[in-house]
Amino acid sequence: MRFTVIGAGLAGSEAAWQIAESGEKVTLIEMKPVKYSPAHKSEYFAELVCSNSLKASRLESAAGLLKEEMARLGSLTVPLARECAVPAGGALAVDRNLFSKAVTDKIISHPNITVKHRIYEKIEPESDEIIIIATGPLTDGKLSGEISRICGDYLSFYDAAAPIVTADSVDFSKAFGASRYERGGEDDYINCPFDKPEYESFINELVNAEGAVVHDFDVYEGCMPIEKLAKRGFDAPRFGPMKPVGLIDPKTGKRPYACVQLRRENSKGTMFNLVGFQTNLKFGEQKRVFSMIPGLENAEFVRYGVMHRNSFINSPRLLNADYSLRSNEKIFFAGQITGVEGYMESAASGIMAGINAVRRARKEAALILKNTTMIGALSEYISDESVENFQPMGANFGVLPPIEPKIKNKKERYAALAERALNDLGI
């Protein structure tokens, strides 16, 4: 069986490395330097374009746990990142140029990897070929059209996502569970009710909050930021996503003046998104302003709202947990195009796609990690058919099943989740 990996970002590099390390030959196709995306400048593989930070190092953090799981699975990028590290407190930050060069040197010197620099345009695996598509969130041109062809109408070009909070961090002395007009279960929505003074204060801070910088490849179409809606009129949000109709606050027996609804984000009900709260506010401003919502004063944000160009497929409708395409299991996807968000998350998906591509070729059972591991939970998230309004997700403890009995202290809870994950990884 022949193996072809398209794209030499972090995901593609990891996928090719896993295949090569298993003893199989693999061709890695990279369009640079023939063509560069709007965000890429370097000729090296695994280019970091937005930040040199690979997030927290400590094991009791979601990012730290993810990297430790990757290292135990034979990651290429994690050891190299540690070798190229620069001082950054508790985070793993790297010299971007040294890191990308180190990855490139490892890839091109591996005897089982053949690198070809060209633009890949047609996805048609031959009878003896397995393909891994790891072309990133800025995939465009003919290849974008090809992905749309094999994925139906499931390719999205805009990442307009609302913030997500953990259910455990919501204050239910103020919030309550209910669907509008009692249609549906109480567990489907969490409601955060406002009285008039609370609403006035919230809107005032919302319209004066600082927005994020707009890049030249950002796109804002078909979705209005909540702060822009608020600037159209004081009552605009109250007659839009914050409308209180069909809801009765059980504490007052009356309809709230306004209400923010949180909708279940995953099947386990551990995460909820703020309905209609797509936003372009800076992350710090989101934390400050959205913590004014009654019941969210101490909310744990596992993802902030974003609005930018980001090509990703509707993975829950398309992919298996091993990152293979359900309609053609000789095609795998990896990286941010699958809906994992972040450098290391992308690299982790590449590890899993590479391992499972080899297993598929050898007619072995797929490696599906337990959802108590960070990598397994992300694999489950992108392949969970119950997920609606699918949006990219990075590593966070909200995607893991909760520890029972519940541990109230957050630091101790995270440490316990990490310990369980590594035990369940079994490596």
Side-chain angles (χ1 to χ4, degrees):
M1 185 69 72
R2 296 187 298 115
F3 297 89
T4 302
V5 176
I6 308 165
L10 278 85
S13 296
E14 285 281 15
W17 184 259
Q18 291 296 324
I19 294 169
E21 286 288 279
S22 75
E24 301 286 349
K25 301 288 186 181
V26 57
T27 298
L28 177 60
I29 298 176
E30 168 56 42
M31 71 177 185
K32 297 189 304 185
V34 178
K35 178 183 177 183
Y36 287 84
S37 80
H40 293 87
K41 307 299 180 187
S42 169
E43 64 187 83
Y44 295 131
F45 303 159
E47 182 181 356
L48 308 182
V49 299
C50 297
S51 170
N52 70 335
S53 176
L54 303 178
K55 301 180 183 177
S57 293
R58 64 188 186 282
L59 189 58
E60 65 276 11
S61 69
L65 173 60
L66 175 69
K67 288 190 281 288
E68 180 59 27
E69 291 179 5
M70 292 170 62
R72 296 189 184 194
L73 286 169
S75 169
L76 166 67
T77 59
V78 170
L80 292 179
R82 290 169 176 167
E83 291 176 14
C84 300
V86 296
L92 175 59
V94 299
D95 180 308
R96 286 192 278 187
N97 194 60
L98 286 179
F99 170 73
S100 295
K101 185 178 186 303
V103 173
T104 305
D105 289 345
K106 282 282 190 179
I107 291 290
I108 63 177
S109 64
H110 199 294
N112 288 339
I113 301 177
T114 299
V115 176
K116 294 184 178 181
H117 296 278
R118 66 180 180 87
I119 298 172
Y120 192 92
E121 295 181 338
K122 193 72 172 175
I123 304 173
E124 288 184 344
E126 298 181 7
S127 59
D128 63 341
E129 182 183 24
I130 289 178
I131 292 176
I132 299 177
I133 302 168
T135 51
L138 296 180
T139 301
D140 62 5
K142 291 183 179 179
L143 184 55
S144 174
E146 276 291 282
I147 295 173
S148 292
R149 178 181 65 82
I150 66 173
C151 293
D153 295 326
Y154 292 121
L155 186 65
S156 172
F157 291 98
Y158 309 108
D159 186 357
I164 297 172
V165 299
T166 60
D168 283 346
S169 66
V170 177
D171 182 356
F172 281 94
S173 69
K174 298 180 179 180
F176 61 95
S179 296
R180 295 186 191 279
Y181 303 105
E182 300 182 347
R183 297 169 182 166
E186 290 187 1
D187 295 334
D188 294 339
Y189 289 91
I190 297 172
N191 302 277
C192 300
F194 289 75
D195 59 25
K196 187 175 182 179
E198 289 170 335
Y199 180 78
E200 290 173 342
S201 297
F202 176 73
I203 295 299
N204 180 64
E205 293 300 319
L206 181 62
V207 299
N208 290 296
E210 187 176 0
V213 175
V214 179
H215 298 285
D216 59 358
F217 50 87
D218 286 350
V219 179
Y220 301 86
E221 293 185 12
C223 187
M224 184 181 296
I226 184 66
E227 63 273 15
K228 183 176 180 180
L229 177 64
K231 290 176 181 178
R232 289 190 170 183
F234 173 79
D235 283 323
R238 200 164 68 89
F239 288 95
M242 296 180 68
K243 62 182 180 290
V245 296
L247 297 170
I248 299 297
D249 185 345
K251 300 171 194 62
T252 65
K254 299 178 180 179
R255 187 174 78 177
Y257 185 78
C259 189
V260 171
Q261 279 203 307
L262 312 183
R263 180 171 51 216
R264 180 192 288 255
E265 180 69 22
N266 61 349
S267 58
K268 296 188 291 291
T270 58
M271 299 183 295
F272 282 73
N273 71 72
L274 280 64
V275 178
F277 268 60
Q278 296 86 356
T279 178
N280 191 45
L281 296 182
K282 287 186 173 182
F283 289 176
E285 290 288 79
Q286 291 185 44
K287 172 67 174 175
R288 179 182 69 84
V289 177
F290 296 154
S291 293
M292 295 177 67
I293 297 172
L296 302 188
E297 290 86 353
N298 297 302
E300 179 183 359
F301 290 81
V302 299
R303 176 197 167 112
Y304 289 107
V306 290
M307 297 191 74
H308 55 75
R309 184 187 188 283
N310 187 9
S311 300
F312 60 97
I313 60 174
N314 192 343
S315 294
R317 301 289 180 268
L318 296 165
L319 298 185
N320 296 309
D322 65 356
Y323 291 90
S324 65
L325 191 64
R326 290 185 187 130
S327 61
N328 186 342
E329 294 185 337
K330 291 170 65 178
I331 299 175
F332 287 74
F333 282 84
Q336 288 195 72
I337 200 166
T338 68
V340 296
E341 185 174 63
Y343 288 134
M344 288 290 97
E345 291 85 344
S346 296
S349 71
I351 292 173
M352 297 306 295
I355 290 172
N356 283 310
V358 172
R359 290 191 171 209
R360 176 65 47 76
R362 295 175 178 175
K363 297 183 174 11
E364 298 173 353
L367 176 63
I368 308 296
L369 300 179
K370 293 183 178 179
N371 67 358
T372 50
T373 68
M374 190 60 67
I375 295 176
L378 289 173
S379 299
E380 180 183 71
Y381 175 75
I382 64 97
S383 60
D384 182 358
E385 294 184 79
S386 72
V387 172
E388 297 181 2
N389 304 306
F390 179 66
Q391 290 290 340
M393 178 69 67
N396 67 85
F397 282 119
V399 299
L400 302 183
I403 289 280
E404 297 294 344
K406 183 178 178 180
I407 301 173
K408 290 186 177 180
N409 182 278
K410 185 164 71 172
K411 185 175 180 180
E412 293 176 1
R413 182 168 72 251
Y414 288 175
L417 287 167
E419 181 181 9
R420 182 184 68 180
L422 296 180
N423 287 337
D424 288 351
L425 186 65
I427 299 174

Coordinates of all heavy atoms in Angstrom, one line a residue, residues 67-123:
K67 N 0.1 17.5 25.2 CA 1.5 17.3 24.8 C 2.1 16.1 25.4 O 2.9 15.4 24.7 CB 2.3 18.6 25.1 CG 2.0 19.8 24.2 CD 2.9 20.9 24.3 CE 2.7 21.8 25.6 NZ 1.4 22.6 25.5
E68 N 1.8 15.8 26.6 CA 2.3 14.6 27.2 C 1.8 13.3 26.6 O 2.5 12.4 26.3 CB 2.0 14.6 28.7 CG 2.6 13.3 29.5 CD 4.1 13.2 29.4 OE1 4.8 14.2 29.2 OE2 4.6 12.0 29.5
E69 N 0.5 13.3 26.2 CA -0.1 12.2 25.5 C 0.6 12.0 24.1 O 0.9 10.9 23.7 CB -1.6 12.4 25.3 CG -2.4 12.3 26.6 CD -3.9 12.5 26.4 OE1 -4.3 12.7 25.2 OE2 -4.6 12.6 27.4
M70 N 0.8 13.2 23.5 CA 1.5 13.1 22.2 C 2.9 12.5 22.3 O 3.3 11.7 21.4 CB 1.5 14.5 21.6 CG 0.2 15.1 21.2 SD 0.3 16.9 20.7 CE 1.4 16.8 19.3
A71 N 3.6 13.0 23.2 CA 5.0 12.5 23.4 C 5.0 11.0 23.6 O 5.9 10.3 23.1 CB 5.6 13.2 24.6
R72 N 4.1 10.5 24.4 CA 4.0 9.1 24.7 C 3.6 8.3 23.4 O 3.9 7.1 23.4 CB 3.1 8.8 25.8 CG 3.6 9.4 27.2 CD 2.7 8.9 28.3 NE 3.2 9.6 29.6 CZ 2.8 9.2 30.8 NH1 2.1 8.1 31.0 NH2 3.3 9.9 31.9
L73 N 3.0 8.9 22.5 CA 2.6 8.3 21.2 C 3.7 8.4 20.2 O 3.5 7.9 19.0 CB 1.3 8.9 20.7 CG 0.0 8.5 21.5 CD1 -1.2 9.3 21.0 CD2 -0.3 7.0 21.3
G74 N 4.8 9.0 20.5 CA 5.9 9.1 19.5 C 5.9 10.3 18.7 O 6.3 10.3 17.5
S75 N 5.4 11.4 19.2 CA 5.3 12.7 18.5 C 6.7 13.1 18.0 O 7.7 13.0 18.6 CB 4.7 13.8 19.4 OG 4.8 15.0 18.8
L76 N 6.6 13.7 16.8 CA 7.8 14.4 16.2 C 7.9 15.8 16.8 O 9.0 16.2 17.1 CB 7.7 14.4 14.7 CG 8.6 15.4 13.9 CD1 10.1 14.9 14.1 CD2 8.2 15.5 12.5
T77 N 6.8 16.5 16.8 CA 6.9 17.9 17.1 C 7.1 18.3 18.6 O 7.8 19.3 18.9 CB 5.6 18.6 16.6 OG1 4.5 18.1 17.3 CG2 5.5 18.5 15.1
V78 N 6.6 17.5 19.5 CA 6.7 17.8 21.0 C 8.2 17.8 21.4 O 8.6 18.8 22.0 CB 5.8 16.9 21.8 CG1 6.2 17.1 23.3 CG2 4.4 17.2 21.6
P79 N 8.9 16.8 21.2 CA 10.4 16.8 21.6 C 11.1 17.9 20.9 O 12.0 18.6 21.5 CB 10.9 15.4 21.1 CG 9.7 14.6 21.0 CD 8.6 15.4 20.6
L80 N 10.9 18.2 19.6 CA 11.6 19.3 18.9 C 11.2 20.6 19.5 O 12.0 21.5 19.6 CB 11.3 19.2 17.4 CG 11.8 18.0 16.7 CD1 11.4 18.1 15.2 CD2 13.3 17.9 16.8
A81 N 9.9 20.8 19.9 CA 9.5 22.1 20.5 C 10.2 22.3 21.8 O 10.6 23.4 22.1 CB 8.0 22.0 20.7
R82 N 10.4 21.2 22.6 CA 11.1 21.4 23.9 C 12.6 21.7 23.6 O 13.2 22.5 24.4 CB 10.9 20.1 24.7 CG 9.5 19.9 25.2 CD 9.3 18.5 25.7 NE 7.9 18.4 26.3 CZ 7.3 17.3 26.6 NH1 8.0 16.1 26.5 NH2 6.1 17.3 27.2
E83 N 13.2 21.2 22.6 CA 14.5 21.5 22.2 C 14.7 23.0 21.8 O 15.7 23.6 22.0 CB 15.0 20.6 21.1 CG 15.2 19.1 21.6 CD 15.7 18.2 20.4 OE1 16.1 18.8 19.4 OE2 15.6 17.0 20.6
C84 N 13.7 23.5 21.1 CA 13.7 24.9 20.6 C 13.0 25.9 21.5 O 12.7 27.0 21.1 CB 13.0 24.9 19.2 SG 13.8 23.8 18.0
A85 N 12.8 25.5 22.8 CA 12.0 26.4 23.7 C 12.8 27.6 24.0 O 14.0 27.7 24.1 CB 11.7 25.6 25.0
V86 N 12.0 28.7 24.2 CA 12.5 30.0 24.7 C 11.8 30.3 26.0 O 10.7 29.8 26.3 CB 12.3 31.1 23.7 CG1 13.1 30.8 22.4 CG2 10.8 31.3 23.4
P87 N 12.4 31.1 26.9 CA 11.7 31.4 28.2 C 10.3 32.0 28.0 O 10.1 32.9 27.2 CB 12.6 32.4 28.9 CG 14.0 32.1 28.2 CD 13.7 31.7 26.8
A88 N 9.3 31.4 28.7 CA 7.9 31.9 28.6 C 7.1 31.6 29.8 O 5.9 31.2 29.7 CB 7.3 31.4 27.3
G89 N 7.8 31.6 31.0 CA 7.0 31.3 32.2 C 6.6 29.8 32.2 O 7.4 28.9 32.0
G90 N 5.3 29.6 32.4 CA 4.8 28.2 32.4 C 4.4 27.7 31.1 O 3.8 26.6 31.0
A91 N 4.6 28.5 30.0 CA 4.2 28.0 28.7 C 5.3 27.4 27.9 O 6.5 27.7 28.2 CB 3.6 29.2 27.9
L92 N 5.0 26.6 26.9 CA 6.1 26.1 26.0 C 6.0 27.0 24.8 O 5.2 26.9 23.9 CB 5.8 24.7 25.6 CG 6.7 24.1 24.6 CD1 8.2 24.1 25.0 CD2 6.3 22.6 24.2
A93 N 7.0 27.9 24.7 CA 7.1 28.8 23.6 C 8.4 28.4 22.9 O 9.4 28.0 23.5 CB 7.2 30.3 24.0
V94 N 8.5 28.6 21.6 CA 9.6 28.2 20.8 C 10.1 29.3 19.9 O 9.4 30.3 19.6 CB 9.2 27.0 19.9 CG1 8.8 25.8 20.7 CG2 8.2 27.4 18.9
D95 N 11.4 29.2 19.5 CA 11.9 30.0 18.4 C 11.3 29.4 17.2 O 11.6 28.3 16.7 CB 13.4 29.9 18.4 CG 14.1 30.7 17.3 OD1 13.6 30.6 16.1 OD2 15.0 31.4 17.6
R96 N 10.4 30.2 16.6 CA 9.6 29.7 15.4 C 10.4 29.2 14.3 O 10.2 28.1 13.7 CB 8.6 30.8 15.0 CG 7.5 31.0 15.9 CD 6.4 31.8 15.3 NE 6.7 33.2 15.4 CZ 5.8 34.2 15.0 NH1 4.6 33.8 14.5 NH2 6.1 35.4 15.1
N97 N 11.4 29.9 13.9 CA 12.3 29.6 12.8 C 13.1 28.3 13.1 O 13.1 27.4 12.3 CB 13.2 30.7 12.4 CG 13.9 30.5 11.1 OD1 13.2 30.4 10.0 ND2 15.2 30.4 11.0
L98 N 13.6 28.2 14.3 CA 14.4 27.0 14.6 C 13.5 25.8 14.7 O 13.9 24.7 14.3 CB 15.1 27.2 16.0 CG 16.3 28.2 16.0 CD1 16.9 28.3 17.4 CD2 17.4 27.7 15.1
F99 N 12.3 26.0 15.3 CA 11.4 24.9 15.4 C 11.0 24.3 14.0 O 11.1 23.1 13.7 CB 10.2 25.3 16.2 CG 9.0 24.3 16.1 CD1 9.1 23.1 16.9 CD2 7.9 24.5 15.4 CE1 8.1 22.1 16.8 CE2 6.9 23.5 15.3 CZ 7.0 22.4 16.1
S100 N 10.6 25.2 13.1 CA 10.1 24.8 11.8 C 11.3 24.1 11.0 O 11.1 23.1 10.3 CB 9.6 25.9 11.0 OG 8.4 26.4 11.6
K101 N 12.5 24.7 11.1 CA 13.7 24.1 10.5 C 14.0 22.7 11.0 O 14.3 21.8 10.3 CB 14.9 25.0 10.6 CG 16.1 24.6 9.8 CD 17.3 25.5 10.0 CE 18.4 25.1 9.1 NZ 18.9 23.7 9.3
A102 N 13.9 22.6 12.3 CA 14.1 21.3 13.0 C 13.2 20.2 12.4 O 13.6 19.1 12.1 CB 14.1 21.4 14.5
V103 N 11.9 20.6 12.3 CA 10.9 19.6 11.8 C 11.2 19.3 10.4 O 11.2 18.1 10.0 CB 9.5 20.2 11.9 CG1 8.5 19.3 11.2 CG2 9.1 20.4 13.4
T104 N 11.6 20.3 9.6 CA 11.9 20.1 8.2 C 13.1 19.2 8.0 O 13.1 18.3 7.2 CB 12.1 21.5 7.5 OG1 11.0 22.3 7.7 CG2 12.4 21.3 6.0
D105 N 14.1 19.4 8.8 CA 15.3 18.6 8.7 C 15.0 17.2 9.0 O 15.6 16.2 8.4 CB 16.4 19.2 9.6 CG 17.0 20.5 9.2 OD1 16.8 20.8 8.0 OD2 17.6 21.2 10.0
K106 N 14.2 16.9 10.0 CA 13.9 15.6 10.4 C 13.1 14.9 9.3 O 13.3 13.7 9.0 CB 13.0 15.6 11.7 CG 13.8 15.8 13.0 CD 14.5 14.5 13.4 CE 15.1 14.6 14.8 NZ 15.7 13.4 15.2
I107 N 12.2 15.6 8.7 CA 11.3 15.0 7.7 C 12.1 14.7 6.4 O 12.1 13.6 5.9 CB 10.2 16.0 7.3 CG1 9.2 16.1 8.4 CG2 9.5 15.5 6.0 CD1 8.3 14.9 8.7
I108 N 12.9 15.6 5.9 CA 13.6 15.4 4.7 C 14.8 14.4 4.8 O 15.2 13.8 3.8 CB 14.1 16.7 4.1 CG1 15.2 17.4 5.0 CG2 13.0 17.7 3.8 CD1 15.8 18.7 4.4
S109 N 15.2 14.2 6.0 CA 16.3 13.2 6.2 C 15.8 11.8 6.5 O 16.6 10.9 6.6 CB 17.2 13.7 7.4 OG 16.6 13.7 8.6
H110 N 14.5 11.7 6.7 CA 14.0 10.3 7.0 C 14.0 9.5 5.7 O 13.5 9.9 4.7 CB 12.6 10.4 7.5 CG 12.2 9.1 8.3 ND1 12.0 7.9 7.7 CD2 11.9 8.9 9.6 CE1 11.7 7.0 8.6 NE2 11.6 7.6 9.8
P111 N 14.6 8.3 5.7 CA 14.7 7.5 4.5 C 13.4 7.0 4.0 O 13.3 6.6 2.8 CB 15.6 6.3 5.0 CG 15.4 6.2 6.5 CD 15.3 7.6 6.9
N112 N 12.3 7.0 4.8 CA 11.0 6.5 4.3 C 10.1 7.6 3.8 O 9.0 7.3 3.4 CB 10.3 5.7 5.4 CG 11.0 4.4 5.7 OD1 11.7 3.8 4.8 ND2 10.7 3.8 6.8
I113 N 10.6 8.9 3.8 CA 9.8 10.0 3.4 C 10.3 10.6 2.1 O 11.5 11.0 2.1 CB 9.7 11.1 4.5 CG1 9.1 10.5 5.8 CG2 8.8 12.2 4.0 CD1 9.0 11.5 7.0
T114 N 9.5 10.7 1.1 CA 9.8 11.5 -0.1 C 9.0 12.7 -0.1 O 7.8 12.7 -0.1 CB 9.5 10.6 -1.3 OG1 10.3 9.4 -1.3 CG2 9.8 11.4 -2.6
V115 N 9.7 13.9 -0.2 CA 9.0 15.2 -0.3 C 8.8 15.7 -1.7 O 9.8 15.6 -2.5 CB 9.7 16.2 0.6 CG1 9.0 17.6 0.5 CG2 9.8 15.8 2.0
K116 N 7.6 16.1 -2.1 CA 7.4 16.7 -3.4 C 6.8 18.0 -3.2 O 5.8 18.2 -2.5 CB 6.5 15.8 -4.3 CG 7.2 14.4 -4.6 CD 6.3 13.6 -5.5 CE 7.0 12.3 -5.9 NZ 6.2 11.5 -6.8
H117 N 7.3 19.0 -3.9 CA 6.8 20.4 -3.8 C 6.0 20.7 -5.0 O 6.5 21.0 -6.1 CB 8.0 21.4 -3.7 CG 8.8 21.2 -2.4 ND1 8.4 21.8 -1.2 CD2 9.9 20.6 -2.2 CE1 9.3 21.5 -0.3 NE2 10.3 20.7 -0.9
R118 N 4.7 20.6 -4.8 CA 3.8 20.9 -5.9 C 2.4 21.2 -5.4 O 2.1 20.9 -4.2 CB 3.7 19.8 -6.9 CG 3.1 18.5 -6.4 CD 3.1 17.4 -7.5 NE 2.6 16.2 -7.1 CZ 1.3 15.8 -7.2 NH1 0.4 16.7 -7.6 NH2 0.9 14.6 -6.8
I119 N 1.5 21.8 -6.2 CA 0.1 22.0 -5.8 C -0.7 20.8 -6.1 O -0.8 20.3 -7.2 CB -0.4 23.3 -6.6 CG1 0.4 24.5 -6.2 CG2 -1.9 23.5 -6.2 CD1 0.1 25.7 -7.0
Y120 N -1.4 20.3 -5.1 CA -2.2 19.1 -5.2 C -3.6 19.5 -5.5 O -4.2 20.3 -4.8 CB -2.1 18.3 -3.9 CG -2.7 16.9 -4.0 CD1 -1.9 15.8 -4.3 CD2 -4.1 16.7 -3.8 CE1 -2.4 14.5 -4.4 CE2 -4.6 15.4 -3.8 CZ -3.8 14.3 -4.2 OH -4.3 13.0 -4.2
E121 N -4.2 19.0 -6.5 CA -5.5 19.5 -7.0 C -6.6 18.4 -7.1 O -7.8 18.8 -7.1 CB -5.4 20.2 -8.3 CG -4.5 21.5 -8.2 CD -4.4 22.2 -9.5 OE1 -4.6 21.6 -10.6 OE2 -4.1 23.4 -9.5
K122 N -6.3 17.2 -7.2 CA -7.3 16.1 -7.5 C -7.2 15.0 -6.4 O -6.2 14.4 -6.3 CB -7.1 15.6 -8.9 CG -8.2 14.7 -9.4 CD -9.4 15.6 -9.8 CE -10.5 14.7 -10.4 NZ -11.8 15.5 -10.7
I123 N -8.3 14.8 -5.7 CA -8.3 13.8 -4.7 C -8.9 12.5 -5.3 O -10.2 12.3 -5.3 CB -9.1 14.2 -3.4 CG1 -8.6 15.6 -2.9 CG2 -9.1 13.2 -2.3 CD1 -9.4 16.2 -1.8

